[in-house]
Amino acid sequence: MPKSKRVPELGEIQETLLIPLYARAVETRKRHGILQDPRAVEMVESIDYDFSRFDGAKSLIGANLRTLQFDSWVRDFLRWHPSGTVVEIGTGLNTRFERLDNGTVHWFDLDLPDVIALRRRFFEDTDRRHTLAASVTDPTWTEAVRASPGPYLLVAEAVLIYLDDRQVRSVVDLVAESLPGAHLALETANGHAIARQDSHDVLGAMAARMKWRCDDPRQLETWRPDLRLTDSRTFADLPAAERRALPLSMRLLLRAMAVLRRRDLESYRLNLFRFGESGTA
């Protein structure tokens, strides 16, 4: 059994990083889980935290479905750009690099200093993977990324929805101006999702709250002439390869939800954007 690592006092947003970690660990322990993440299991077993508070939460399934979609976008990017650069924004204790490393990708894990301090207990930098301790709204982090080979894919999983509209816009402008041509993966929550978060089976018991309301991901295209939405999905319409990996019971459940709880599904979308190159729309 690994030596216990006590979690330092985490801020209200940072505590949410433990939810997807535990979701991946729970799924990995299943005989036929929809994903495998042995490192997540190791971390959960070694961190001194009461993860049982998340047991039975249906949102653990949602966290893993979201991970599958973001993983799919990263795989697609690496298929076309095997030596490009991926930036994991708000990386938390994510293990996406461990799951998807192709041996040539360049990778940055970006998060706030207190989270990075915890992360460094489990991960070490390499010649292709580097850790950046900064807020996503701090423009200095882009300097290191720009020195890495392009093109760039920025993955902001469960991050920007906790910022306000002004902050999200500042991040979009920062990426557009610093990394033209980059791809940006993020999720959006509409007014229905924002209004219901107090009754959420996990977030309802935490201080962290979603702040950024986006009723239609296409709204972001109005922010800048060089920004285009290239893909947008709910949990019910994951890519074919990811859907086939789901157990039949889950596929049937998602199909039923697409009809009976369509409003709930549509309230939370997973999106991929592309910034135009310099001087292009």
Side-chain angles (χ1 to χ4, degrees), residues 48-229:
D48 184 11
Y49 183 85
D50 183 16
F51 287 95
S52 66
R53 65 184 299 193
F54 305 139
D55 285 342
K58 294 180 180 179
S59 59
L60 295 184
I61 298 174
N64 284 327
L65 293 176
R66 181 182 65 206
T67 291
L68 290 179
Q69 177 60 71
F70 279 78
D71 280 2
S72 176
W73 281 326
V74 174
R75 286 193 189 95
D76 288 345
F77 175 81
L78 294 180
R79 190 173 300 118
W80 290 99
H81 311 291
S83 298
T85 296
V86 176
V87 182
E88 191 82 50
I89 296 174
T91 184
L93 294 175
N94 210 332
T95 57
R96 186 165 280 119
F97 178 84
E98 280 72 21
R99 297 194 303 275
L100 304 181
D101 178 28
N102 63 356
T104 57
V105 64
H106 299 267
W107 199 283
F108 290 90
D109 289 303
L110 170 70
D111 214 321
L112 298 171
D114 55 347
V115 177
I116 292 301
L118 173 61
R119 183 175 180 83
R120 283 184 170 139
R121 302 185 187 188
F122 300 100
F123 303 96
E124 296 181 356
D125 286 4
T126 69
D127 58 340
R128 291 188 295 107
R129 185 193 200 177
H130 304 280
T131 302
L132 299 174
S135 166
V136 66
T137 61
D138 180 351
T140 59
W141 66 265
T142 62
E143 297 173 5
V145 176
R146 289 179 64 182
S148 186
Y152 308 97
L153 169 62
L154 288 75
V155 181
E157 181 180 357
V159 179
L160 299 184
I161 54 175
Y162 294 102
L163 305 182
D164 60 34
D165 183 84
R166 177 186 58 81
Q167 291 172 312
V168 177
R169 286 175 180 250
S170 73
V171 171
V172 168
D173 287 339
L174 174 61
V175 173
E177 295 162 10
S178 303
L179 304 168
H183 303 256
L184 174 62
L186 56 86
E187 73 262 60
T188 50
N190 69 16
H192 179 63
I194 298 294
R196 294 178 65 251
Q197 62 182 320
D198 285 347
S199 60
H200 188 274
D201 59 359
V202 172
L203 285 180
M206 293 186 169
R209 285 294 178 270
M210 295 184 289
K211 299 177 182 178
W212 176 40
R213 171 178 172 172
C214 180
D215 292 329
D216 184 345
R218 288 186 294 268
Q219 292 174 350
L220 275 69
E221 294 182 334
T222 68
W223 292 3
R224 299 188 58 93
D226 56 353
L227 185 61
R228 292 290 179 267
L229 178 66

